[in-house]
Amino acid sequence: MLELWIDRGRIESVAVHDARILDVGEVPARLVDALQGRRVQRVERRGKWLRVALDDGAFFSHLGMTGKWAEASPKDEPLRFERVRLDVVVGRAKRSVRYLDSRLFGRFAAPAEDLPIWRALGPDPLVDGIDVGALHAKLQRRKLAIKPVLLDQKVLAGIGNIYATEGLFTARIDPRRAASSLTRLETGAVARGLRKALLKSLARSTEDSITYVQEPGADNPFLIYGNEGMPCPRCKRPLGKMVLGGRGTVFCSRCQR
DNA sequence: AACGGAACCTGAAAGC
DNA sequence: TGCTTTCAGGTTCCGT
């Protein structure tokens, strides 16, 4: 959506309302300077990062877990949880886009060079696809449990706790299994499970809004995430939950081996 | 290098 | 009812 709102536009003004979404040591004034007057050339996504290429440089936006871009009118007052505001002229239209983030886990940056973290991202399952052989080789080198390895953005970009949980359930793999113990066949199943979970979520997202599971009124659209204690959709036994790599992990002890 | 655990932050939900 | 505590998530940092 952000792409639709600002592509080919010229950034008229920038306001950073809360500097906590910037990198440590970064100051709003420098960022404003880097963006003002620049033209947006394209918007790309890899994993949880957006990279907005400008005629000179680029800016990066990570949505954390509660971040979203929203379109507003330039006349509108700051929206609830607004942290950054960009006013853009696209053709004859004046648009104002706002970065909203209640929990401030997101990030906003306009570095001179591409962020190292962006360059280090693994392949994005939807943008780049998953090369099962390459993934299998990568997993072979990791002794850690498969679930925390999937959360490593250098392995695959964009896999968070929800998709790792869902993908492993679909692949019928126990999240505690050592990553190195997965066969190539099982790695293929995980790759398909992850893609399926991501695509399902993408299909669910409406034209112009993101609804997070945590938001009131949103019902749980996931197979097992958030459903601990409820019947497994496959075998009907109650789903278990444990902490793995510091994150809650729902699983079925019968279906996932 | 690889790993575990705590910290960051705040709204919602659960507990009292 | 209203206050307090706990929990969730993605990432970074610190110690081992």
Side-chain angles (χ1 to χ4, degrees):
Chain A
M1 279 304 113
L2 183 63
E3 179 163 23
L4 248 150
W5 299 332
I6 67 172
D7 197 29
R8 296 285 143 192
R10 202 177 74 92
I11 301 173
E12 296 266 283
S13 64
V14 184
V16 178
H17 305 313
D18 194 319
R20 286 177 294 178
I21 60 152
L22 305 180
D23 281 321
V24 280
E26 180 64 280
V27 290
R30 205 208 59 78
L31 203 116
V32 169
D33 201 50
L35 298 186
Q36 227 151 36
R38 299 276 110 75
R39 189 167 292 280
V40 173
Q41 295 198 314
R42 67 195 168 107
V43 180
E44 42 185 328
R45 178 193 70 79
R46 266 174 74 211
K48 303 162 190 170
W49 283 95
L50 293 174
R51 179 181 186 274
V52 178
L54 307 171
D55 49 10
D56 181 18
F59 75 81
F60 293 83
S61 168
H62 189 295
L63 301 182
M65 55 174 289
T66 52
K68 60 169 80 172
W69 284 92
E71 192 193 15
S73 155
K75 298 191 298 284
D76 293 343
E77 293 295 301
L79 305 176
R80 195 176 183 212
F81 306 129
E82 182 174 314
R83 312 301 187 187
V84 175
R85 166 179 179 153
L86 297 180
D87 285 274
V88 179
V89 175
V90 188
R92 280 184 304 284
K94 282 181 182 284
R95 300 218 173 97
S96 183
V97 292
R98 319 289 178 89
Y99 176 67
L100 319 178
D101 189 355
S102 66
R103 291 186 192 177
L104 290 166
F105 271 23
R107 208 123 68 83
F108 189 75
E113 303 277 329
D114 278 357
L115 289 177
I117 196 161
W118 163 268
R119 285 190 298 224
L121 288 175
D124 180 288
L126 301 183
V127 177
D128 312 305
I130 301 177
D131 178 331
V132 174
L135 178 60
H136 184 233
K138 217 175 255 186
L139 296 183
Q140 288 280 290
R141 298 194 292 269
R142 305 291 297 265
K143 286 182 207 157
L144 208 60
I146 180 64
K147 176 151 175 282
V149 169
L150 292 177
L151 296 179
D152 182 346
Q153 301 299 298
K154 295 192 283 295
V155 173
L156 290 172
I159 305 302
N161 200 36
I162 292 173
Y163 299 112
T165 299
E166 297 281 293
L168 287 170
F169 173 75
T170 299
R172 311 183 77 152
I173 301 293
D174 188 321
R176 293 165 291 193
R177 286 266 303 277
S180 57
S181 76
L182 266 69
T183 64
R184 195 186 153 110
L185 207 65
E186 289 173 326
T187 304
V190 170
R192 285 193 304 278
L194 292 171
R195 275 184 60 89
K196 197 169 169 184
L198 289 166
L199 285 168
K200 184 177 164 190
S201 168
L202 199 62
R204 213 180 57 81
S205 68
T206 51
E207 276 256 307
D208 52 10
S209 76
I210 303 176
T211 306
Y212 286 102
V213 210
Q214 296 88 348
E215 288 180 10
D219 51 15
N220 180 343
F222 302 114
L223 293 171
I224 65 168
Y225 177 82
N227 289 350
E228 59 272 24
M230 316 236 289
C232 165
R234 191 183 280 124
C235 76
K236 309 303 176 200
R237 283 184 90 207
L239 294 166
K241 184 169 182 179
M242 65 188 159
V243 175
L244 206 51
R247 292 289 164 231
T249 304
V250 180
F251 69 109
C252 175
S253 56
R254 176 178 285 178
C255 295
Q256 294 176 258
R257 302 278 174 169

